[in-house]
Structures are given as C-alpha cells and as structure tokens.
Amino acid sequence: MLPRILVVDDDHYTRTLFKRLLGKSAELSLAADGAEARRLFAAGDFNLVLMDQRLPGENGIDLTREFRVQRPKVVTILMTGFADVRDAVAAVREGLFDYLTKPFDDLDALEAVIGKALELDAAYREIDGLRTRLATELCVPEAIGRSAAMERLLDQVRQVAGLDTTVLLEGESGTGKDVVARLLHAWSVRSAKPFLEVNCGGLPESLLESLLFGHEKGAFTGAAQASPGYFERAHGGNLFLDEIADMSPKLQSSLLHVLQSHQFTRIGSTQPRNTDFRLICATNRQLSGEVQAGRFREDLFYRINVVALRVPALRERQGDIILLAAHFLDFFNTKFGKSCGPFTAAAVHLLETSPWPGNVRQLKHCIERAVALHVGGPIDTAHLFAAGESVADTRFVAAPGGETALRYQDARADFERDFFRRLLDAAGGNISEAARLSGIPRQNLYVRIKRWGIVTD
Ligand SMILES: Nc1ncnc2c1ncn2[C@@H]1O[C@H](COP(=O)(O)OP(=O)(O)OP(=O)(O)O)[C@@H](O)[C@H]1O
Ligand SMILES: [Mg+2]
C-alpha cells in the first residue's frame, strides 16, 4: 500500500513539485489553505503531513498542534522560509519530526527526510500493533496516561510490583484500579503464575467463602466434588480482592488468619494447607474511615495497608483525557470495523472540560457509544452526548457527598452480569451446582445466564 501524504502549502509551485516528486510513490493529498487541510486531515489517516509554516491567515505550527491533539502520533515535517527557522527549531523541540527550508535546492536530501519520516510513522504503527497484541494475548493491560499524577502512580507501581508486599489500591469507581492490579501482577516476579480476582462486594458471604477457601467433596449438600478455592489456586501468583471494604466481619477474620499463617483449610476439611500468594486489595471507599466506623477490622487494615496507592480521579489528570479518548477511539474503531474520528476542536474541548464523575469507565462508554452510533468521519459534540444530555447525567449520576453511583437500573444490570459470571465460575460451569449454591431455581438461572450472554462449557 502506498503511504498517504498530506501536503499543505498555499504556493502552487511547491504543490506541483511534490506532485512530480511523490505522485507515483505516495497517495498524495494537496491542500492550499487551513480549511482544506482540516477537511482532508479529518477524512484520511495520513502517514505523513508536510506543512507550510506560513498559510493564508494562519500559522502552520498552530495547525500542526491542532492536528496533534486529534492524532498525537501524526508525523509532521514543517516547511519554512529562512526567516522563520527559529520558530521551526522550537517546533521540532516540541515534537515535530523535522523541518525543511524553502526553496528546496537539494531534492535528494528532501526525499531522504521524507523517507526517514515515513519510517518513523511505520515504527509508531508497529509499536501500537505490538502493544495491542501484547495487551490482548498476554493480558498485560495498557495504562494510558502521561499526566504527572499518572506518571507518579506508574513509578510507584513499578517500584512495588517486584516487592512481595501487600498493596492496597484506593480510588473512585472507574479510575483504573483493576488496570493497576493487573500491572502489579504483570510486572511482578509472579507474572507467570496465576492472577485471580474476586469481587468481595458481589457475592453472598457463603459463596465468597467457598470461592476463597474451596471445599471438600460432601462438605455441604450438593458438594458433589472437591473444589480448590482461590487461596489455593493463586499459589505462587497474585490474588486480587476487589471491594475489600464489603467483606463480612466473619470473612475478614478468616482472611487475617490466612495472611498471618500462610495457611488455610478447605471447607469440610481439617487439613491445613500452605499457600503463598501476594495480596492486592482495592476499595473505592476510604478504608481508614471504615475502620473508624467499626465496619472494618483494624488489625486486618494494618495487615493490608502496607503499601497504599491512590489512583487519581480523571478530573485530577485532565491532560490524560484526550490521550484516553484517542485510545478508546482506535479500540472501538477496530472492534466495530469503523473509521470514526478525529474529534472536532469543539469535541476535544467538551471532553477536556467535562467532570467525568464516572472516571475512565464513563469516558470509555461515551466513546464506545459515539463510535457505535456514528456512520464514520469526524466526531463532534453531538455524537458524544445525545441531545439534552450532559456528562453528569449519562450512565453515572453524582450521589450526595460527591461520590459517584450508577443509576439503579445500570447498577443492577452490572451487578447481575457480574454475579452470574462469578456464580458459574464458582460452580465450575455447572448450572445445577450454581442453582444449589445461589438458591435460584435452575430454570430461572438458565434464563438469566442466557440473558447476560454468559457462556457455560
Ligand atoms: N489508564 C488507563 N488506560 C486505559 N484504560 C483504562 C485506564 N484506566 C481505566 N481504564 C479502563 O477503564 C475501565 C474502568 O477501569 P477499572 O475497571 O480498572 O476501574 P476500577 O477503578 O477498578 O473501578 P471500580 O471501582 O468500579 O471497580 C476499564 O475498562 C479499564 O480498562
Ligand atoms: Mg474494579
């Protein structure tokens, strides 16, 4: 496939020169002014942009900045007259690939610079492809974010990932605690061993207990087979207990015992077994507050609060919003086989200034919906939020105290989907066993599992 190159220059001679020079080796688009350039840029995925510095009524460097907000990795060469070289040098420092001075007297040198720029674009695209493959195949999540707050967090994650200490992740809902937990696993020496995740808020006490401790055959009515629990299966790896604040007092005390002794006993057995896992916990409440309110054991709190990492809310790292939005745009374009984007300047502004009470999850849903409902082309404000709707009242509504909560219907749907998935997991995919564990009649259970598209094998 020929590389796609956009040349933006008001000078007819320059455009003709590029047509002659690159007409056969590239798919060339030519723009004589900013408006034409914006239209072409929005419609095409260019490998390279050659931008004149002085355009009618505007500055090529500003236009380049605008393009880079929409596609941060677009490779650009600035074309400049001798008089403007200082600005061009500053622009290169800002991240532009290179600049060329006009008039072009050495066409070989010109072709060489263009060749190098295209190589850089190919390298960027290859890295992106590899990252996506790595993320999907090895389940190493990608943590997007270059804000100071996010860089600091990732530094801390790198530092503690290799240590065998318990880590407590605190942060609002949707900020990326799951992502960080997976990174802690991926970057630890235990990464080749299991990473197991349990949501302590989503299951009744007895089910959670059975999931964690496992049981022997005949331990309770219907326990037809012995089943190892997560304490056992996570041996050598990392165990992630999400929403730890929701754990019942009884289970809090059994967990403390396991952490202190590195031993546990399957339900229905008296035989203690050794286990060695690193514990990662997460909560969207303040665990110290739960301790003060008497809802969380103080001794367990001190045992798991060895290293506490706070995952910042999206509104505290505004600089990451467009990066994340661009990442989700790529992701859903690929997923739905569409080519939506880039974001218009107004859409960028709206994304950046919205409060995002549901954090990254809300932003992801917003982009998913925009791509799903859009035929293709630039994404404007109207595609992001439906008429009359604003960011504050989409899926998430702010609850008293600034905390965020899901709308009841959405929360229930999320809970049910999650609950049935975990229930089936606990029952080893066996519907009769799941019916027994949950007390839901088999037929009803079957209908719900089908409704939520949960696969049984
Ligand atoms: N830095 C990030 N880069 C890329 N994707 C992210 C990032 N942070 C979060 N996400 C995505 O946003 C969504 C929500 O993140 P996640 O599930 O980790 O939040 P959470 O803090 O665990 O929320 P909750 O408290 O509700 O469990 C996920 O789909 C996740 O992949
Ligand atoms: Mg989570």
Side-chain angles (χ1 to χ4, degrees), residues 91-103:
V92 169
R93 291 220 179 92
E94 213 181 281
L96 258 72
F97 171 67
D98 206 347
Y99 71 91
L100 292 164
T101 44
K102 291 203 292 191

Side-chain angles (χ1 to χ4, degrees), residues 138-190:
L138 300 177
C139 289
V140 177
E142 223 189 330
I144 311 288
R146 297 225 195 94
S147 59
M150 199 61 190
E151 293 279 357
R152 204 176 319 120
L153 174 67
L154 290 177
D155 273 350
Q156 291 171 330
V157 171
R158 260 180 227 109
Q159 274 177 28
V160 300
L163 310 175
D164 242 8
T165 60
T166 301
V167 180
L168 174 64
L169 302 172
E170 290 183 310
E172 287 178 19
S173 183
T175 46
K177 296 185 295 296
D178 267 66
V179 172
V180 173
R182 281 164 207 277
L183 282 178
L184 282 166
H185 172 70
W187 292 343
S188 75
V189 288
R190 297 168 175 266

Side-chain angles (χ1 to χ4, degrees), residues 225-238:
Q225 253 144 29
S227 165
Y230 278 25
F231 287 146
E232 202 164 336
R233 288 168 48 198
H235 181 69
N238 285 289

Side-chain angles (χ1 to χ4, degrees), residues 271-450:
Q271 170 87 54
R273 294 165 190 259
N274 292 328
T275 179
D276 161 41
F277 57 81
R278 191 261 294 269
L279 183 69
I280 303 169
C281 299
T283 175
N284 48 28
R285 297 187 220 156
Q286 243 205 327
L287 212 49
S288 56
E290 296 297 299
V291 172
Q292 268 162 22
R295 287 188 292 264
F296 202 83
R297 283 184 76 113
E298 193 171 7
D299 43 8
L300 179 60
F301 172 68
Y302 287 120
R303 185 65 191 70
I304 62 180
N305 188 33
V306 183
V307 176
L309 300 181
R310 191 177 152 274
V311 186
L314 191 54
R315 63 182 170 280
E316 296 169 43
R317 41 181 161 126
Q318 221 179 23
D320 289 342
I321 294 178
I322 293 304
L323 273 182
L324 282 160
H327 168 76
F328 294 138
L329 182 62
D330 273 355
F331 180 85
F332 289 112
N333 269 332
T334 310
K335 182 167 171 190
F336 301 141
K338 293 205 176 180
S339 62
C340 297
F343 298 107
T344 63
V348 167
H349 180 72
L350 182 63
L351 288 169
E352 278 182 332
T353 50
S354 294
W356 302 114
N359 294 297
V360 186
R361 179 178 295 115
Q362 185 187 13
L363 175 63
K364 189 173 178 180
H365 284 312
C366 170
I367 306 296
E368 177 175 13
R369 193 178 50 167
V371 176
L373 299 178
H374 193 26
V375 281
I379 295 188
D380 204 357
T381 48
H383 302 113
L384 294 173
F385 302 108
E389 184 189 52
S390 80
V391 65
D393 57 26
T394 52
R395 265 174 65 85
F396 293 83
V397 284
E403 287 267 308
T404 58
L406 288 163
R407 272 208 188 140
Y408 174 66
Q409 260 169 333
D410 292 326
R412 198 181 70 174
D414 279 356
F415 168 78
E416 280 201 14
R417 193 180 306 110
D418 209 46
F419 175 84
F420 287 113
R421 200 158 39 80
R422 284 165 206 278
L423 174 64
L424 267 182
D425 207 27
N430 181 320
I431 298 201
S432 307
E433 172 69 358
R436 192 196 59 73
L437 284 170
S438 62
I440 301 172
R442 199 173 176 283
Q443 197 49 38
N444 292 359
L445 197 58
Y446 189 68
V447 172
R448 303 224 189 150
I449 285 168
K450 266 187 81 172

Side-chain angles (χ1 to χ4, degrees), residues 48-68:
L48 172 63
V49 177
L50 286 148
M51 175 75 75
D52 187 25
Q53 184 162 357
R54 287 194 187 180
L55 292 170
E58 61 186 311
N59 183 328
I61 298 182
D62 290 340
L63 185 57
T64 301
R65 283 196 192 111
E66 196 181 309
F67 285 176
R68 289 168 68 86

